[in-house]
Amino acid sequence: MAAAFVGGALLGAVFGELLKAVSEEKDKAVTFKDRLEKLESTLRNSIPWIEEIEKLNQVLDRPKQETENLVRMMEQGEQLVRKCSKVKWNCFKRYVYAKKIIKLDTSISDFFRTSLPLQHARDGKLIMVEVKEIHTMVRRMSGNGNINGWMSNQVGDCCSAPDPPVITPGLDVPLKELKMELFKDGRQFIVVSAPGGYGKTTLVQRLCKDDQVQGKFKDDIFYVTVSKNPNVKAIVQKVLHHKGYPVPEFQTDEAAINDLERFFKQMRTEAILLVLDDVWPGSESLLQKLGFQLPDYKILVTSRSEFPQFGSVHYLKPLTYEAARTLFLHSANLQDGNSYIPDENIVSKILRACKGCPLALKVVGGSLCGKQEVFWQRMVKECSRGESVFQSKNDILDCLGSSLDVLNNEVKECYLDLRSFPEDQRIPITALIDMWMELYELVDDVFAITNLHELSSQNLVDRVVTRKTAGDYGCYNDDFVMQHDLLRELTICRSKSEPINQRKRLVVEISGNNFPKWWMDQKQHPNNASLLSISTDETFSSNWPDMQGPEVKVVVLNIRTKKYILPDFLQKMDELKVLIVTNYGFSPAELNNFRVLSALSKLKKVRLEHVSLPNSLATVRMSHLQKVSLVMCNVGQVFRNSTFRISDAFPNLLEMDIDYCNDLIELPDGLCDIVSMEKLRITNCHRLSALPEGIGKLGNLQTLTLAACTELSALPDTIGNLSHLNFLDISECLNIRKFPARFGELCCLKTLCVIGCPISEVPSTNLENLQVVICDEETAEQLAYSPPGRARIEVIQEDSNLNFLH
Ligand SMILES: *[C@@H]1O[C@H](CO)[C@@H](O)[C@H](O)[C@H]1NC(C)=O
Ligand SMILES: *[C@@H]1O[C@H](CO)[C@@H](O)[C@H](O)[C@H]1NC(C)=O
Ligand SMILES: *[C@@H]1O[C@H](CO)[C@@H](O)[C@H](O)[C@H]1NC(C)=O
């Protein structure tokens, strides 16, 4: 068996040597016989994986660096194994060696278990699809490097800790102390406690990225954001998914927790670290249940409360004056030498008002960045206004509040809208653009984006880009923002002062089926909101009471159930322009009752995330709809239903986005008859195998994006008919090797993106308007032999972080 690998590519060869060494030595090194036998069986079980990696490397013609660590691990392993038979009676050495073998064994099995979670689809072609898929995903996760990140948005990068901010002054000492606490044989729970905005999350993020911590806990650090209403089943599902295990459906929270306990016990690892970020008071019973009896299993909690009954409390203190000053000056960007330099007196007053709270320092600093002296003085006044009256927390809210007040009105309104999305979740920028364009009647999405830039330059939101090139070309599919929960609270506090029926934004969080009293009371009285957001949990039964919102323009529904019925009252909301439905549960939600949308003559945009489209969509007609976005949706059932014609359902679409729809195999019937279509974006649909010839009928199409549709092997010849097409993106379509014959007829084409495509030539004959070909280094090299006429070649520097061994 081993011999079959020798002489193969490098990885196979090294693997073969290791396996050979193990089988030879296991009989000689009596002391280690058992351990070596186990290692041997791990290795034999890994043979199919090794073969797959080899295949992957060939198919993708990639350098071997992705497998370098594995190769190194195996080389060291071989040396280790060879030495085993020489260890005689030195007890300590025997112990050390035994430990090393165990470690090697676990590292190898972990590698295959966590890095290639493919167990469920192991036959032939499917494997290649999945391998490529993963490969593409890994590519797209630059900066994040976690293979499980592919589930995009909410299901999120499962359980890897996010990267901490670049600048974190004053955290070195707390980090050291927390680490000591963690490594001590102390209690199972460690609670990091401080008021909101003091950097608890940043501290644990740094801890998770710390070398010593990673050395001890390896891949068994699970980072979970708990928030106010913890979704226990989803938390467990994420952990299992993170480790590459099949994800079961749980009936109850108890069942989920039992499964997690069993799973942790089976993991044969030396140490496990479970980080529970943002735990709210009232979650004691959850903490209790998670405290399994396991050796070296630590639970690190961040919370505004202390949970003293659970373990050692680690208080995170406010920043020292010096650290606060560093962070503040950095946030106000005062190092660049151009801005107004306030005198130290002003700075120190602001620092005092911020009370060493990192969030306040960042936000206040951000809001003063580049501002004239008067703004600084005003800030000093506003910040110190209530100093003696309020307690420290309110004080900080005051400071933060005054940073909001310097925003221009539209930006501020945009900011207040963010709370229509749930706490601690990434908010997709595409959803914000859809919503703001209609709420504020923006003529171009550029205005929405500049508003976002403003918020992010003031540190009021954190921008998360999961793909480096995103956004450069008007495609924001991989772009998100996050809002600090204290800042979210601030916006909630502000809205509370208004009577419900007068609020412009009505944000409702419903737990179970308990509708708030005002809702039940107001049946007869219309509200005055233009933005309505309703969040429901996994026990919601979709029995909707009536609501009258004659002014509602945007509805945001945040859901967690597996079945969800759109409320009937939507059909009376005549002003409704945008509907955004996002499912934050682990499995797709079946969404029903689309008929309520049929009569809405102003409804322009519908965005659905992580839902299943029902067959009944075949009977619905939304003739005014201009844009449909389907993200991580199950579309297969209805798209394949012969009674469904998309051109009947949405006859006048201008834009369609389909992203991460894993069961999209063919485009739906009739898509090519929607001749009004101007922008079609199909991204990350790894099973889409062909485009219909009919695509040539979309004579108004200007933008066509087919990025990361890895199975697509050709563009149809009729693409030449798209006489208005000016933007084409086929980046990361790993199977498109050349353009069709009539490609050269695209007389309007200006921009062509071929990042990561095996394209070697762009036919330039008639592409008179082609201005730029955007590609990666590899593609650029290939294109060098046949340059695309007058077009410029722009090379994107990708840090293709293919290091899935970490
Ligand atoms: C409803 O909102 C509009 C502006 O959005 C405002 O002009 C009007 O006075 C409000 N009506 C009530 C009853 O609050
Ligand atoms: C197709 O959709 C129709 C209309 O909703 C439904 O009655 C029918 O059962 C569906 N067919 C299949 C094969 O699912
Ligand atoms: C594409 O254009 C050609 C003529 O250039 C025409 O014969 C053909 O019918 C068109 N195809 C489609 C699908 O529109």
Side-chain angles (χ1 to χ4, degrees), residues 693-699 717-722 742 745:
E693 286 290 325
I695 204 137
K697 288 190 276 184
L698 296 177
D717 212 25
T718 54
I719 201 170
N721 284 35
L722 302 177
R742 291 186 48 215
E745 292 171 27

Side-chain angles (χ1 to χ4, degrees), residues 614-619 637-638 640-644:
N615 271 318
S616 59
L617 200 59
T619 59
Q637 174 180 257
V638 63
R640 280 193 297 270
N641 185 325
S642 56
T643 62
F644 177 73

Side-chain angles (χ1 to χ4, degrees), residues 555-767:
V555 169
V556 177
L557 300 174
N558 303 312
I559 74 181
R560 285 191 189 177
T561 25
K562 275 163 63 185
K563 281 191 193 305
Y564 189 87
I565 300 172
L566 293 173
D568 282 336
F569 59 69
L570 288 181
Q571 64 190 331
K572 293 177 305 181
M573 296 188 164
D574 294 329
E575 294 297 315
L576 187 63
K577 292 180 171 170
V578 181
L579 173 67
I580 297 173
V581 183
T582 312
N583 168 25
Y584 296 86
F586 194 85
S587 345
E590 190 180 309
L591 195 59
N592 273 298
N593 209 18
F594 276 97
R595 59 168 189 86
V596 299
L597 306 179
S598 307
L600 295 170
S601 63
K602 294 195 175 159
L603 185 63
K604 280 198 204 162
K605 298 176 181 175
V606 172
R607 182 185 199 278
L608 306 176
E609 179 165 332
H610 207 31
V611 303
S612 287
L613 300 183
N615 271 318
S616 59
L617 200 59
T619 59
V620 171
R621 186 175 168 90
M622 295 184 221
S623 39
H624 301 276
L625 208 60
Q626 297 180 356
K627 178 175 178 187
V628 173
S629 310
L630 304 171
V631 181
M632 278 171 74
C633 288
N634 285 355
V635 296
Q637 174 180 257
V638 63
F639 280 12
R640 280 193 297 270
N641 185 325
S642 56
T643 62
F644 177 73
R645 271 186 77 77
I646 197 167
S647 51
D648 293 339
F650 318 122
N652 295 305
L653 279 189
L654 300 178
E655 263 184 79
M656 180 147 189
D657 279 5
I658 306 182
D659 191 26
Y660 283 108
C661 291
N662 281 332
D663 66 349
L664 180 76
I665 294 168
E666 281 174 44
L667 293 186
D669 260 3
L671 184 75
C672 303
D673 295 326
I674 308 178
V675 290
S676 48
M677 189 91 76
E678 292 173 359
K679 294 180 181 169
L680 179 59
R681 299 193 198 91
I682 304 172
T683 44
N684 300 298
C685 293
H686 299 279
R687 300 237 152 74
L688 179 68
S689 54
L691 293 180
E693 286 290 325
I695 204 137
K697 288 190 276 184
L698 296 177
N700 288 307
L701 203 63
Q702 295 163 14
T703 296
L704 178 60
T705 301
L706 299 163
C709 292
T710 44
E711 194 57 6
L712 204 57
S713 55
L715 296 171
D717 212 25
T718 54
I719 201 170
N721 284 35
L722 302 177
S723 55
H724 287 93
L725 193 71
N726 61 49
F727 178 94
L728 176 65
D729 184 354
I730 55 164
S731 295
E732 293 171 61
C733 288
L734 305 174
N735 270 314
I736 300 186
R737 293 177 186 278
K738 59 177 199 200
F739 291 106
R742 291 186 48 215
F743 185 76
E745 292 171 27
L746 290 173
C747 55
C748 277
L749 191 65
K750 280 192 193 155
T751 308
L752 175 65
C753 298
V754 289
I755 302 161
C757 292
I759 289 278
S760 55
E761 194 181 350
V762 178
S764 58
T765 35
N766 289 322
L767 297 175

